[in-house]
């Protein structure tokens, strides 16, 4: 008896599969005022054998990375806008599960310093003038204050940056002389004098 071998072509049955995915939303907000979100923070999401993804928070202080395969990831804040420091650890771990949106919050704190204004007599620095009217403006801050009995006023917890200081008026037998204004830079954890 003889057998005949008949060759049959491979039959291909297409199956479509896709990886299970989720997403990570990073939220950067002010520590002192959690309702204020911070745009412009650079964030890197890495792990689970995927290429690192570096993204930047938008105007709403958030950024979402979608279609991440399920697994473990590390989220790292690389940098924050000028005037802020990272309060939280700069990186956190999270696990993406199917269909999840893992929110990873980070808190930042405004860098702050102090501004001390001293009003003195023009040719006699030791004669400090009480009740001088002084306006300080800059970085969304504006306030008019009076010097105390020692001729000084100190404003604390001012966000780092430049401020315009104007001596508006002085009491009694004195006149304000030019220059009656200056721009001063407040630096982190320092007291700037004018």
């Amino acid at each position: 008896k003889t057998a005949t071998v008949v060759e049959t072509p491979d039959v291909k049955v297409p199956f479509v599969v896709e990886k299970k995915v989720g997403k990570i939303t990073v939220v950067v907000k002010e520590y002192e005022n959690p309702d204020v979100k911070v745009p412009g923070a650079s964030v890197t999401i890495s792990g689970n054998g995927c290429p690192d993804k570096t993204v930047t928070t938008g105007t709403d202080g958030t950024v979402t990375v979608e279609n991440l395969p399920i697994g473990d990831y590390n989220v790292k804040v690389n940098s924050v806008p000028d005037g802020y420091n990272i309060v939280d650890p700069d990186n956190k771990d999270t696990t993406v599960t199917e269909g999840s949106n893992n929110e990873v919050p980070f808190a930042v704190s405004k860098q702050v310093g102090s501004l001390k204004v001293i009003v003195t007599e023009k040719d006699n620095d030791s004669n400090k003038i009480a009740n001088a009217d002084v306006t300080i403006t800059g970085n969304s801050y504006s306030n008019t204050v009076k010097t105390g009995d020692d001729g000084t006023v100190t404003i604390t917890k001012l966000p780092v940056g430049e401020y315009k200081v104007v001596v508006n008026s002085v009491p009694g037998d004195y006149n304000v002389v030019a220059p009656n204004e200056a721009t001063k830079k407040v630096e982190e954890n320092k007291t700037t004098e004018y």
Side-chain angles (χ1 to χ4, degrees), residues 2-6:
T2 60
T4 304
V5 176
V6 178

Side-chain angles (χ1 to χ4, degrees), residues 18-25 64-71 73 95-103:
E18 62 184 8
K19 287 189 172 192
K20 296 177 181 179
V21 295
K23 57 186 169 181
I24 294 175
T25 297
T64 300
V65 177
E66 299 184 353
N67 297 318
L68 293 170
I70 61 172
Y73 291 87
T95 300
V96 172
T97 57
E98 184 178 10
S100 68
N101 181 12
N102 295 29
E103 185 172 294

Side-chain angles (χ1 to χ4, degrees), residues 118-130:
I118 306 166
V119 179
T120 62
E121 187 176 342
K122 181 179 179 183
D123 295 321
N124 184 359
D125 286 349
S126 63
N127 187 18
K128 296 183 174 67
I129 310 300

Side-chain angles (χ1 to χ4, degrees), residues 80-111:
V80 293
D82 288 343
Y84 287 99
N85 287 324
I86 299 170
V87 174
D88 285 336
D90 66 353
N91 69 81
K92 296 180 179 180
D93 293 325
T94 189
T95 300
V96 172
T97 57
E98 184 178 10
S100 68
N101 181 12
N102 295 29
E103 185 172 294
V104 182
F106 287 92
V108 296
S109 181
K110 284 189 174 182
Q111 296 171 338

Side-chain angles (χ1 to χ4, degrees), residues 103-184:
E103 185 172 294
V104 182
F106 287 92
V108 296
S109 181
K110 284 189 174 182
Q111 296 171 338
V112 295
S114 299
L115 178 63
K116 182 177 184 178
V117 178
I118 306 166
V119 179
T120 62
E121 187 176 342
K122 181 179 179 183
D123 295 321
N124 184 359
D125 286 349
S126 63
N127 187 18
K128 296 183 174 67
I129 310 300
N131 288 323
D133 187 67
V134 178
T135 299
I136 301 164
T137 56
N139 292 317
S140 300
Y141 176 89
S142 180
N143 197 10
T144 298
V145 293
K146 297 235 184 246
T147 56
D149 291 339
D150 63 352
T152 70
V153 61
T154 301
I155 310 298
T156 60
K157 296 184 180 177
L158 283 173
V160 168
E162 290 192 352
Y163 291 85
K164 182 177 178 182
V165 180
V166 179
V167 178
N168 302 310
S169 63
V170 290
D173 297 336
Y174 296 98
N175 288 316
V176 176
V177 293
N180 68 322
E181 64 181 61
T183 300
K184 290 295 181 178

Side-chain angles (χ1 to χ4, degrees), residues 50-87:
C50 297
D52 290 358
K53 294 181 188 264
T54 299
V55 291
T56 302
T57 57
T59 56
D60 64 350
T62 70
V63 62
T64 300
V65 177
E66 299 184 353
N67 297 318
L68 293 170
I70 61 172
D72 296 326
Y73 291 87
N74 180 266
V75 181
K76 179 177 179 14
V77 176
N78 305 311
S79 63
V80 293
D82 288 343
Y84 287 99
N85 287 324
I86 299 170
V87 174

